[in-house]
Amino acid sequence: MKKKLIVLNTTIMLGLGSAFAIPSVKAESITDIQSQRTGIQSDISEAEQVIQQLKKEQSKMNAQIAQIESAMKENDQKIKDTKQEINDTEKDIESLKKEIKALEERIAKREEVLKERALSFQESGGDVEYLEVVLGSKSFGEFVNRVGAVATIVEADQQILSEQEADKADLEKKQATVEKKLQSLKDMEVELKGMQSQIEDQKAETVNMKAKIEKKESETEALKQSLENKDAGLEAQIASIRENIKKEEERKASEKADLDRAAEEVNSSNASSEESSSSSSEGSSSSSSEESSSSSSEESSSSSKGEASAKSSSKAESSSNSSKNSATAKPVASKTVTSSKPSSANTGSAITAGYKYIGNSTYKFGGGRTASDIANGLFDCSAFVAWAYKQAGVNLPASTDALKNAGRQVSDSQKQPGDLVFFNTYKTDGHVGIYVGGGKFIGSQSSTGVAIANMDSGYWAGVYNGRVVRVN
């Protein structure tokens, strides 16, 4: 009955461990990630608000750009008109230059005529003035004729001179007009250059505005994409954790089923042992009764009775030993019994002690030897085995080299729950665990911390060296 209670305790503890240990830790992780997702989704909402604000700013910028482009078109048209006006002015200047040249030619011709007329009054070869011509007459008639001639000459000269002055005035006026046109042309040229500079500034401003819009659009899209990626990553992480929880629950359910089968096998073995013991006791009692009856009917001597009694006792003892040996030898022939029968009453407590650390412990080389390490589930393999057996009231050393000599060695075919099993990892007998039945053991593994692992397949099957030590 005591063994039955131990196995049932093992099953219950594993069931509790599988139901609450790992999923609760994973649930906390999911809660943390969901909290992170809530924060990120809030950031995404804020980013969307920023995007809406940026769109409004972009709308304003587009309106400004449209205004600038309209101004640029107007300036372009003005530049075209100014250039046309410059071309027209240059044509006017060329025409004025031709007129000036013609005036200069007319003035030159008039000067030649005046020179010729002046020479006609100088037939004597001297310098004869108009007064000398008049006073030099020899008669009144000649005087009158000379005065008339001089008057005619003077009048003609006056007309020529008047035309000459008019042409000179016209020439000066046209020259002023040309100079004014030239100055106007220069002013328009300066204005044109100013307009060109203004257009270049407007173009630069437009390009700058467009660059700002593109940068803001790029930054906003990058921010939104980054937040969406983070949210998707967290969502995938939650899905992965849930999948891991599902696998962990399936693994735990499988382990529980294995231990339940082990418990049933132990109970079956215990029942078989009790039946054998009961049959042996009944056989001894019947043998003693028959011997006593035989001695009474034959009326044997007292010595003969003693021999018969001794023989009967020896027969009963032999029958009892035979029954016990049969119960012991049975696990060797049947794998079901040999893989589940605990080696002692302390074994069950040692196995169940570690269940609370399954899924919430960490492997630590040299760990498990202080109260702080034990409280935080920090063990190496040998320290975990020593600690587990200590919970069952058995003191064991905390090193693999010492543990392999901590009991008697049995064959692999005879290993039972509670036996120590050894593995060649980084060295011979480098790892140790406690066999729990069903081809599995519990130990502190470097990759998982305290966990139940399969030693019949996978990595542990490859490094299991067959060493089995039974703690007495």
Side-chain angles (χ1 to χ4, degrees):
M1 289 301 293
K2 193 172 184 180
K3 292 179 179 178
K4 288 182 180 180
L5 291 175
I6 291 169
V7 175
L8 289 174
N9 184 32
T10 301
T11 304
I12 292 169
M13 289 297 292
L14 179 59
L16 291 174
S18 66
F20 300 108
I22 299 302
S24 64
V25 174
K26 300 291 186 180
E28 290 176 2
S29 299
I30 290 176
T31 301
D32 292 340
I33 295 172
Q34 287 285 20
S35 177
Q36 293 180 38
R37 283 196 71 191
T38 300
I40 288 176
Q41 288 171 352
S42 176
D43 292 341
I44 291 174
S45 178
E46 291 179 2
E48 288 176 348
Q49 292 177 1
V50 171
I51 290 172
Q52 292 299 323
Q53 184 62 33
L54 286 174
K55 285 182 178 179
K56 291 180 180 179
E57 292 181 8
Q58 288 172 0
S59 180
K60 292 180 181 179
M61 287 184 179
N62 288 334
Q64 292 177 1
I65 290 172
Q67 291 177 352
I68 290 173
E69 289 177 347
S70 177
M72 289 175 64
K73 288 181 180 179
E74 291 178 1
N75 288 338
D76 287 339
Q77 186 60 43
K78 191 171 183 180
I79 289 171
K80 289 179 181 179
D81 294 343
T82 303
K83 286 183 177 180
Q84 184 62 43
E85 191 173 354
I86 289 172
N87 291 333
D88 294 341
T89 303
E90 288 176 346
K91 290 179 180 179
D92 292 341
I93 290 172
E94 291 298 325
S95 178
L96 286 172
K97 286 181 177 179
K98 291 179 179 179
E99 291 180 9
I100 290 170
K101 186 176 181 181
L103 286 173
E104 288 176 346
E105 289 177 354
R106 286 200 299 270
I107 290 171
K109 287 180 180 180
R110 289 192 187 100
E111 287 178 352
E112 290 296 328
V113 170
L114 289 173
K115 287 179 181 178
E116 289 176 359
R117 289 184 178 181
L119 290 174
S120 66
F121 290 100
Q122 297 176 354
E123 293 177 353
S124 61
D127 293 331
V128 180
E129 296 181 357
Y130 291 131
L131 183 60
E132 290 178 351
V133 171
V134 172
L135 295 177
S137 60
K138 295 179 179 180
S139 64
F140 180 75
E142 187 179 356
F143 172 79
V144 172
N145 290 332
R146 286 189 175 187
V147 169
V150 168
T152 300
I153 293 172
V154 169
E155 183 178 353
D157 290 342
Q158 286 295 330
Q159 185 178 357
I160 292 173
L161 291 174
S162 177
E163 290 177 358
Q164 189 79 347
E165 290 296 328
D167 286 343
K168 285 183 178 181
D170 189 29
L171 179 61
E172 290 175 357
K173 183 178 179 181
K174 288 183 180 294
Q175 285 178 339
T177 301
V178 171
E179 289 176 357
K180 186 177 180 180
K181 286 281 186 179
L182 286 173
Q183 186 62 44
S184 176
L185 181 61
K186 290 180 180 179
D187 292 341
M188 281 191 289
E189 187 177 9
V190 172
E191 185 177 356
L192 179 60
K193 289 181 179 179
M195 281 192 232
Q196 288 176 335
S197 177
Q198 183 180 0
I199 290 172
E200 289 175 357
D201 291 341
Q202 288 174 339
K203 285 184 177 179
E205 185 177 358
T206 303
V207 171
N208 188 32
M209 283 186 177
K210 287 185 177 179
K212 286 181 179 179
I213 291 172
E214 291 173 356
K215 184 178 180 181
K216 285 186 178 181
E217 286 179 343
S218 177
E219 289 175 351
T220 305
E221 290 299 329
L223 173 62
K224 185 179 178 182
Q225 187 64 46
S226 175
L227 291 172
E228 288 176 348
N229 289 342
K230 286 182 180 178
D231 185 57
L234 290 176
E235 185 178 8
Q237 194 174 349
I238 289 174
S240 176
I241 290 174
R242 285 176 176 164
E243 181 66 21
N244 289 338
I245 289 174
K246 182 179 178 182
K247 291 180 179 179
E248 187 68 20
E249 289 175 346
E250 290 174 353
R251 186 180 68 81
K252 288 295 182 180
S254 176
E255 291 177 356
K256 181 178 181 299
D258 290 341
L259 287 180
D260 286 344
R261 284 195 296 271
E264 291 176 2
E265 291 168 1
V266 169
N267 290 337
S268 176
S269 177
N270 288 339
S272 177
S273 296
E274 288 174 1
E275 288 176 3
S276 297
S277 297
S278 177
S279 298
S280 178
S281 297
E282 289 176 1
S284 296
S285 178
S286 175
S287 178
S288 297
S289 177
E290 289 175 359
E291 288 295 327
S292 177
S293 175
S294 177
S295 64
S296 297
S297 63
E298 293 176 359
E299 297 179 352
S300 300
S301 63
S302 60
S303 61
S304 295
K305 289 179 181 179
E307 290 175 2
S309 177
K311 184 178 179 181
S312 176
S313 176
S314 175
K315 183 178 179 181
E317 184 178 353
S318 175
S319 176
S320 177
N321 289 338
S322 176
S323 177
K324 289 179 181 178
N325 289 337
S326 177
T328 303
K330 204 171 186 178
V332 177
S334 175
K335 183 178 179 182
T336 302
V337 176
T338 59
S339 63
S340 61
K341 182 179 178 182
S343 60
S344 71
N346 294 325
T347 298
S349 298
I351 293 173
T352 58
Y355 287 148
K356 68 177 182 178
Y357 287 116
I358 293 176
N360 54 5
S361 64
T362 303
Y363 180 88
K364 177 184 176 182
F365 186 80
R369 292 164 177 79
T370 65
S372 175
D373 282 353
I374 292 171
N376 291 286
L378 304 175
F379 294 97
D380 63 12
C381 62
S382 56
F384 171 75
V385 170
W387 173 84
Y389 263 95
K390 188 174 182 179
Q391 308 314 298
V394 178
N395 290 323
L396 292 180
S399 72
T400 54
D401 289 338
L403 283 172
K404 67 184 180 182
N405 298 313
R408 63 187 179 89
Q409 295 194 22
V410 297
S411 65
D412 174 66
S413 62
Q414 292 180 324
K415 64 179 179 292
Q416 300 171 355
D419 289 344
L420 307 185
V421 287
F422 292 79
F423 305 84
N424 294 340
T425 52
Y426 69 97
K427 67 174 185 177
T428 302
D429 299 320
H431 188 70
V432 63
I434 303 172
Y435 186 65
V436 298
K440 297 183 178 181
F441 73 99
I442 185 171
S444 180
Q445 278 70 261
S446 60
S447 59
T448 60
V450 176
I452 294 175
N454 192 337
M455 56 188 288
D456 283 347
S457 63
Y459 171 77
W460 295 109
V463 296
Y464 173 55
N465 62 17
R467 185 188 296 280
V468 181
V469 174
R470 181 162 300 161
V471 178
N472 295 325

